[in-house]
Amino acid sequence: MKKLGVLRYSILILFLIHSLNSLYAQIEPKPIINASLVGTVIDASSKEPIEGVTVQLEAVTHSVKTDGNGRFQFVTGQKLPFTLIVSFVGYEKKRIVINKSPTVIELSPTTEDLDEVVVVGYGTQKRRDLTGSVASLNESLLKQNVSSLDQTLKGGISGVQVTQTSGQPGGGVSIRIRGGASIQGGNEPLYVIDGFPIYNQTESTGVGSGTPVNPMSSINPSDVESIEVLKDAAATAIYGSRGANGVILVTTKKGKAGRVQLSYDGSIGQQQVLKKIDVLTAPDFAILRNEALYDAYPNLGKFQYLTQDKIDQLGSGTNWQKEAFQNAQITNHQLSLSGGAEQVQYFIGANYFDQDGVIKNTDFKRLGFRSNINANPFKRLNVGANFSINRTTSQIAPSGIVNALLIMPPTATIYDADGSYTLRNPFENIFANPIATLKETTNTSNALRILGTSFAQYDLIEGLQAKVLLGVDLNNRTDKFYLPSYIYEGAGNNGKANLGNLDSYSWLNENTLNYTTSFQDHHLNVLVGFTQQEAKNETFNAGAENFVTDDLLYNSLQSGSTLVRPNSDAYSWILHSYLVRVNYNYANKYYLSGSIRRDGSSRFGADNKWGNFPSLAFSWRASNESFFKEAFPVVNDLKIRASFGTTGNQEIGQYQSLSTLYNLNYLFGNKIVTGFASQRIPNKNLGWETTYQYDGGFDISLFNSKLQFTLDYYYKKTTDLLLNVEIPWTSGYASSLQNFGSVSNKGFEFGLKTRNLNGKFVWNTDVNFSFNRNQVLTIGTGAQSYISGNYIIKVGEPLGTFYGTQIDGILQKGEESTKGLFTGNSIPKAGDRLYKDIDGDGKFTTANDRGIIGNAQPDFIFGLTNTLSYRGFDLTFLIQGTVGNELLNINRQNLEMFTGQQNASTDALDRWTETNASQSYPRAKLDPAPIFSDQFVENGSFVRLKSFQFGYTIPKHVLNATRISNLNVYLSGQNLLTWSKYKGFDPEVTSGSNVQIGTDSGIYPASRSLTVGLSLTF
């Protein structure tokens, strides 16, 4: 019945669209004199017809658009000669007088982007009028075959660093715009999708295992028309308390007036893991284990594990990576219908995306629908609605699975002789059989997301528009988890099931007045508004253990004889805002822009709920001065910009300023009694982190706009950092969340666009470089540093600074008495690793001999996009890279233990032995004390062919006999080639933590993909 309901709804929408088109056709005014003009519009270089060109009669509103063959026809009340205005995006606008019919009009591609309209906060502006730093993603990069729209930003925009936090299908990324500043607050940018602000944060249901699915993957990237990134305070201050980390504006596809277009895009391809880690085979591992046992128990001989004869019979053993990794399929289908008349335009799309993981039994699927409608029912009224509904399902890799695949001994088997799973590692280290865990664990996450905005805009008087926007974001996620009794993790409790549910909603209301006027050389635009947004989340989870059968999985919690205590929670927040923005320019030469936003947030203390976020920007378009053209004839445009502003960061969670309660159970007599205790000390002064940002730059266009260059220098200082500060124990608490500390980011951004060739062969290049320097300025009253795991937060140093020991070779025979104090062992022995004595006390201790051993911040990042086309062939490829950063390879640390209890990397073949006096790798040792050192901090620099697409468009004359107006076949790839010295799976990796960035700790590896596809339009 539900399917029939959806079908009826779809038929009704199509019927309404058809009726509106028919009605418009009936009411369209008819000309008085039936004069006609027939013509064709072609590309001046390629001579190919251009579809969708607007051809308008000057001085009247009547216009038509060219069809798929570039043809147009007028029937008008005027007589020849006609004066036509011919325009199309990407081509120079042309005014031409026509004396005869039929006629051919040639349009030349424009290399001038200044008239391009870009989306900014609460409106649009021409690029030539921008005073802030706003960058647009290259349109070709939106065509990448990825699971979420945030992945399209990799390498595409200067100042934007995008790093994968998991290669799992539907996995997330970490985005830093001009560096990260917060230590305990959020560092991710604000997304605004068709006007709706979203912070991309995963909420937990408390159920499941492994990396959660990226919430942004619930939005279909194929629906996206454009992405703009707001970087400086002049651009982001209009978003006030949520603009400190930058803003990403996403606009989805809209319909256009003209004939109805039915489009399909489909692709299918294969993926494989980028690389595998070289580990020991069974014979080499057996020898290693024999050595480790002999080192611990020399009296028992050298073959305590296996004799040499048995070692020779082992074969290669179990290749755990080979058993887990697979060549995986990826499929994408997109179907859309668009069109409309002057008064109604529509876009309707449906999408199916299916990605299997390169690790078995992992996947991600998305089924989505979108409907965008814009209409002008009356002369002064413009209304629109953007609506999407997406259903995602995913099977998630359990936590620690990648690390387990690497360290599981190759002499262990997947199955016992009776066909049942080998439960765990047979040696001293207890960890589960990873193949059994992977194949038999049910770990799914299903989500439904409905995101929509609708607006009405009315012209009150000439130049004054009132707009009301309403939006809603509804999310429902169900996580399901089951551990069967026949694998190690579930054997102890005879099966374990958990169910979790997250139900969240957010609503938005924006009310704005926008006034635009011009008089003589003065141009003014004023925006005022009031916005309000509220969000509420509710979670619930329950579970059970000790099941009679595993067949029911999580579908019968009541069948478990031991119930797991249920848990539920609810939390909400509200944000009210007032905003004003004024844009003024004189003679298109001097531009001044100012804005202020006042935000009130429920997240902060009673005495600090409201904050003001102003900005001021100025630009001088020097190229419009009267002297400029003669003095600098090769310069087409030059604009110099400067801005200052204040933005905030409210991403600290809810109720942090309040003394919330948590429950405790006590046993009184024979009864369990529940009580409550205070969880934290209240702080009525708690406020948001504040970022002050300065920006200076210029935009220059040279040689008929064949070369366009942008340079920006910025300085950001974030103060009032939210930190858990130690307080006296007499208060009853260890710490309190307070506004302490400051962090700065400063750097340069370079953007270069070149139009290398523009004829039959077209070649365009976009290059971007970014240099950012991060520094901790203060971290509280008198404190200079504090340690967080393998990292240190220290005044004068950047975030992501590694803190550990430094290796100094291997202890050799005869050196025990002289260098033995630098091994950290009470009884030093030849083959132990040596460490540097940093504090100079004549011995090595882990606590005292640690120092700064690297940093995860890159020296610079870059991206290079080339777009080429020739006679229907097109090629786009993106090369991106990161230089100067370092990575903490936890996988390598685990694989260089050489314990014989778990597998090791092939570097163990060069370990110290009685016959191999290695200076690089220590001896085999049954129970070493793990010491974090610079041995495991590696160069993370890389250069990568990130994306590649080669296509061919069938010529128009070949398609004339069909109803197909456009047909393109293509081959595309992702992560095809990587150049790096990093020993891990992938150098493009991070933990997503604000402090412990650059940590590779068994993260799901990235994949290489190659797909073939077909795009056609009717």
Side-chain angles (χ1 to χ4, degrees):
M1 293 299 292
K2 291 183 179 179
K3 292 182 178 179
L4 289 174
V6 173
L7 179 61
R8 287 196 297 267
Y9 177 68
S10 302
I11 294 173
L12 178 60
I13 290 176
L14 293 174
F15 174 75
L16 289 174
I17 292 170
H18 176 73
S19 300
L20 288 169
N21 276 324
S22 300
L23 177 62
Y24 176 73
Q26 293 173 16
I27 65 174
E28 186 178 10
K30 300 295 189 294
I32 300 173
I33 301 174
N34 291 327
S36 65
L37 171 64
V38 177
T40 304
V41 181
I42 63 174
D43 186 291
S45 301
S46 66
K47 308 303 179 183
E48 291 286 332
I50 309 173
E51 179 184 3
V53 178
T54 299
V55 183
Q56 179 181 346
L57 281 167
E58 190 178 50
V60 299
T61 59
H62 186 44
S63 66
V64 296
K65 290 185 180 292
T66 57
D67 62 16
N69 297 311
R71 293 194 294 264
F72 68 91
Q73 183 174 0
F74 268 120
V75 178
T76 177
Q78 296 191 32
K79 297 181 180 180
L80 287 168
F82 297 144
T83 301
L84 300 180
I85 306 297
V86 186
S87 61
F88 187 65
V89 176
Y91 288 82
E92 294 179 353
K93 192 173 183 179
K94 195 168 189 177
R95 181 179 182 275
I96 185 172
V97 177
I98 303 299
N99 295 298
K100 63 178 181 177
S101 178
T103 186
V104 176
I105 301 172
E106 295 187 354
L107 288 186
S108 299
T110 180
T111 56
E112 180 65 79
D113 293 330
L114 298 178
D115 285 325
E116 176 190 5
V117 176
V118 296
V119 179
V120 295
Y122 301 95
T124 60
Q125 280 185 278
K126 286 187 177 180
R127 188 171 294 281
R128 69 172 70 243
D129 297 334
L130 293 174
T131 55
S133 181
V134 180
S136 300
L137 185 67
N138 190 311
E139 183 181 356
S140 63
L141 299 183
L142 289 171
K143 300 176 181 178
Q144 298 177 71
N145 194 17
V146 292
S147 61
S148 61
L149 64 89
D150 45 11
Q151 295 181 13
T152 63
L153 291 166
K154 291 182 180 180
I157 294 178
S158 63
V160 181
Q161 184 181 11
V162 184
T163 311
Q164 199 82 26
T165 58
S166 173
Q168 182 173 275
V173 298
S174 173
I175 296 181
R176 298 292 181 265
I177 298 177
R178 294 186 168 181
S182 184
I183 294 177
Q184 290 183 215
N187 264 324
E188 299 295 319
L190 178 72
Y191 293 83
V192 181
I193 301 174
D194 287 332
F196 198 101
I198 294 172
Y199 188 76
N200 192 35
Q201 181 177 1
T202 303
E203 303 288 349
S204 173
T205 64
V207 170
S209 172
T211 305
V213 175
N214 178 10
M216 199 57 63
S217 65
S218 64
I219 298 170
N220 175 22
S222 300
D223 288 341
V224 176
E225 179 73 27
S226 66
I227 295 179
E228 272 79 34
V229 178
L230 313 184
K231 295 186 284 188
D232 72 339
T236 63
I238 199 69
Y239 289 101
S241 62
R242 295 182 287 182
N245 300 320
V247 181
I248 298 175
L249 303 179
V250 180
T251 304
T252 59
K253 294 177 180 177
K254 307 294 189 293
K256 299 177 182 178
R259 67 185 184 86
V260 177
Q261 289 189 335
L262 177 64
S263 300
Y264 167 78
D265 191 307
S267 64
I268 186 170
Q270 286 283 317
Q271 311 159 92
Q272 64 182 49
V273 69
L274 288 178
K275 63 182 290 189
K276 296 177 182 176
I277 307 300
D278 293 330
V279 293
L280 298 180
T281 61
D284 291 328
F285 171 79
I287 295 171
L288 174 68
R289 179 160 176 79
N290 277 337
E291 289 182 14
L293 290 170
Y294 179 67
D295 179 78
Y297 312 108
N299 295 334
L300 299 179
K302 294 187 176 182
F303 296 96
Q304 299 177 37
Y305 174 45
L306 292 177
T307 65
Q308 188 62 50
D309 289 341
K310 291 183 178 180
I311 292 174
D312 294 338
Q313 298 171 17
L314 282 176
S316 61
T318 304
N319 187 330
W320 295 95
Q321 293 181 76
K322 183 179 179 181
E323 294 293 333
F325 292 132
Q326 65 178 356
N327 289 334
Q329 184 171 295
I330 180 171
T331 306
N332 190 29
H333 299 283
Q334 174 79 14
L335 185 66
S336 64
L337 182 71
S338 65
E342 292 295 329
Q343 289 162 306
V344 180
Q345 303 88 43
Y346 58 87
F347 174 88
I348 300 174
N351 169 255
Y352 176 71
F353 181 85
D354 185 356
Q355 182 180 9
D356 292 330
V358 292
I359 294 180
K360 293 177 180 177
N361 203 31
T362 61
D363 58 36
F364 173 79
K365 296 180 177 64
R366 180 182 57 240
L367 180 63
F369 171 80
R370 171 168 294 279
S371 174
N372 291 346
I373 298 177
N374 288 279
N376 300 92
F378 308 109
K379 184 177 180 180
R380 293 187 176 185
L381 179 64
N382 179 26
V383 297
N386 308 291
F387 170 83
S388 69
I389 178 170
N390 291 277
R391 170 75 172 176
T392 63
T393 61
S394 55
Q395 171 72 13
I396 300 171
S399 295
I401 196 67
V402 173
N403 181 57
L405 292 171
L406 295 176
I407 64 177
M408 193 68 174
T411 55
T413 59
I414 300 174
Y415 302 99
D416 288 335
D418 62 359
S420 62
Y421 283 111
T422 299
L423 287 182
R424 64 178 182 87
N425 170 28
F427 307 124
E428 292 84 350
N429 281 5
I430 299 176
F431 43 86
N433 178 343
I435 300 302
T437 302
L438 189 61
K439 289 186 175 181
E440 303 303 327
T441 301
T442 301
N443 189 29
T444 64
S445 182
N446 304 325
L448 178 68
R449 185 171 201 170
I450 299 173
L451 177 63
T453 56
S454 61
F455 70 90
Q457 180 175 289
Y458 189 76
D459 296 339
L460 299 172
I461 59 175
E462 184 178 355
L464 179 61
Q465 297 174 330
K467 182 177 180 180
V468 177
L469 182 143
L470 298 172
V472 66
D473 183 17
L474 304 176
N475 285 275
N476 182 270
R477 190 173 93 238
T478 301
D479 295 336
K480 304 174 182 180
F481 184 74
Y482 187 76
L483 286 173
S485 60
Y486 50 84
I487 68 173
Y488 178 72
E489 299 95 315
N493 44 32
N494 204 33
K496 180 180 179 180
N498 289 96
L499 287 173
N501 181 261
L502 166 69
D503 192 16
S504 70
Y505 75 86
S506 176
W507 64 264
L508 170 73
N509 168 234
E510 295 178 351
N511 310 276
T512 58
L513 288 173
N514 193 8
Y515 180 65
T516 303
T517 186
S518 298
F519 50 97
Q520 296 180 346
D521 287 331
H522 303 276
H523 307 278
L524 179 68
N525 174 260
V526 180
L527 172 77
V528 297
F530 168 72
T531 76
Q532 50 187 338
Q533 186 172 359
E534 180 180 357
K536 184 174 183 179
N537 287 17
E538 296 179 351
T539 63
F540 171 79
N541 64 66
E545 299 175 354
N546 287 316
F547 290 91
V548 176
T549 176
D550 293 309
D551 293 340
L552 298 176
L553 301 178
Y554 43 73
N555 295 308
S556 182
L557 296 182
Q558 65 274 18
S559 300
S561 59
T562 303
L563 297 180
V564 177
R565 189 177 185 183
N567 182 68
S568 63
D569 196 7
Y571 43 95
S572 62
W573 59 267
I574 299 174
L575 182 69
H576 287 176
S577 308
Y578 301 90
L579 56 96
V580 178
R581 180 176 62 207
V582 178
N583 293 326
Y584 168 79
N585 88 72
Y586 175 74
N588 293 322
K589 291 187 291 186
Y590 311 107
Y591 296 81
L592 183 66
S593 177
S595 71
I596 185 169
R597 177 164 175 148
R598 180 167 173 79
D599 277 344
S601 174
S602 64
R603 300 191 183 199
F604 297 102
D607 293 346
N608 217 0
K609 288 190 180 297
W610 288 90
N612 300 317
F613 304 95
S615 74
L616 186 66
F618 170 79
S619 66
W620 173 40
R621 199 162 176 218
S623 55
N624 276 8
E625 298 288 357
S626 57
F627 66 84
F628 195 90
K629 293 298 182 183
E630 292 186 7
F632 307 98
V634 300
V635 180
N636 308 112
D637 189 81
L638 173 62
K639 182 167 64 175
I640 301 171
R641 298 176 280 104
S643 69
F644 166 77
T646 305
T647 50
N649 184 3
Q650 67 158 11
E651 298 304 327
I652 63 167
Q654 291 76 37
Y655 315 128
Q656 296 296 313
S657 67
L658 304 177
S659 179
T660 54
L661 303 177
Y662 69 101
N663 63 290
L664 295 169
N665 292 331
Y666 296 91
L667 185 64
F668 285 99
N670 295 322
K671 295 183 179 181
I672 296 177
V673 179
T674 300
F676 292 89
S678 177
Q679 191 170 16
R680 65 174 68 92
I681 191 170
N683 182 3
K684 65 179 182 179
N685 294 313
L686 189 70
W688 32 58
E689 299 176 345
T690 303
T691 297
Y692 303 91
Q693 184 172 179
Y694 305 86
D695 185 280
F698 67 86
D699 310 305
I700 188 170
S701 179
L702 305 167
F703 310 114
N704 294 322
S705 299
K706 290 185 177 180
L707 188 151
Q708 299 173 46
F709 182 70
T710 297
L711 170 67
D712 278 271
Y713 170 79
Y714 61 87
Y715 177 80
K716 293 168 56 178
K717 181 180 179 181
T718 302
T719 62
D720 299 326
L721 291 181
L722 293 157
L723 296 173
N724 280 313
V725 179
E726 290 186 2
I727 57 178
W729 282 97
T730 53
S731 67
Y733 302 91
S735 63
S736 171
L737 185 64
Q738 300 181 24
N739 293 106
F740 270 108
S742 58
V743 170
S744 70
N745 286 277
K746 60 182 177 181
F748 286 93
E749 295 172 356
F750 301 88
L752 176 65
K753 294 183 178 181
T754 62
R755 305 300 178 246
N756 308 313
L757 296 172
N758 190 25
K760 291 183 179 180
F761 183 78
V762 178
W763 175 23
N764 299 326
T765 301
D766 288 6
V767 185
N768 67 81
F769 281 86
S770 307
F771 301 79
N772 183 72
R773 298 295 178 264
N774 176 272
Q775 187 178 36
V776 177
L777 302 177
T778 59
I779 51 173
T781 54
Q784 290 296 306
S785 65
Y786 70 89
I787 298 170
S788 176
N790 296 320
Y791 294 77
I792 186 170
I793 295 91
K794 184 177 182 179
V795 173
E797 298 293 334
L799 294 173
T801 296
F802 301 112
Y803 190 68
T805 63
Q806 300 177 40
I807 62 172
D808 196 23
I810 303 296
L811 185 68
Q812 302 298 323
K813 283 187 174 182
E815 296 179 340
E816 291 87 348
S817 60
T818 57
K819 294 185 177 180
L821 291 175
F822 305 114
T823 63
N825 299 322
S826 57
I827 303 177
K829 189 174 181 180
D832 286 341
R833 195 183 290 281
L834 292 169
Y835 298 91
K836 290 184 179 180
D837 175 21
I838 294 177
D839 66 356
D841 64 352
K843 62 181 179 179
F844 169 80
T845 58
T846 304
N848 298 326
D849 291 311
R850 287 185 295 174
I852 293 173
I853 56 175
N855 187 265
Q857 301 279 356
D859 292 338
F860 66 92
I861 59 176
F862 68 91
L864 170 65
T865 304
N866 275 285
T867 305
L868 306 95
S869 63
Y870 178 74
R871 292 188 178 275
F873 292 95
D874 60 89
L875 172 64
T876 300
F877 63 91
L878 165 66
I879 296 174
Q880 66 157 140
T882 300
V883 177
N885 64 305
E886 290 163 308
L887 296 173
L888 170 52
N889 191 344
I890 297 294
N891 293 329
R892 181 180 175 186
Q893 183 174 359
N894 293 332
L895 290 172
E896 291 188 12
M897 298 289 286
F898 304 165
T899 63
Q901 301 173 14
Q902 61 190 41
N903 206 0
S905 71
T906 52
D907 290 330
L909 299 175
D910 189 33
R911 66 186 178 276
W912 188 95
T913 66
E914 295 285 343
T915 59
N916 181 41
S918 174
Q919 285 287 356
S920 300
Y921 299 101
R923 62 188 169 91
K925 187 177 181 181
L926 190 62
D927 190 23
I931 297 176
F932 171 60
S933 70
D934 57 356
Q935 172 78 1
F936 313 114
V937 176
E938 300 185 41
N939 184 353
S941 302
F942 72 91
V943 177
R944 166 171 289 166
L945 178 57
K946 178 61 187 175
S947 66
F948 167 93
Q949 180 160 317
F950 177 71
Y952 178 68
T953 301
I954 308 300
K956 300 287 185 181
H957 67 269
V958 176
L959 302 174
N960 283 340
T962 70
R963 292 182 177 271
I964 300 174
S965 60
N966 185 76
L967 176 59
N968 177 267
V969 291
Y970 60 87
L971 174 69
S972 69
Q974 296 285 317
N975 299 332
L976 293 180
L977 296 171
T978 303
W979 295 270
S980 176
K981 295 181 179 179
Y982 182 59
K983 290 188 175 183
F985 285 107
D986 181 25
E988 187 187 4
V989 65
T990 188
S991 64
S993 165
N994 293 348
V995 174
Q996 300 184 14
I997 58 178
T999 295
D1000 184 0
S1001 55
I1003 294 172
Y1004 194 118
S1007 61
R1008 178 187 300 111
S1009 67
L1010 195 64
T1011 62
V1012 293
L1014 171 73
S1015 296
L1016 56 88
T1017 301
F1018 296 93

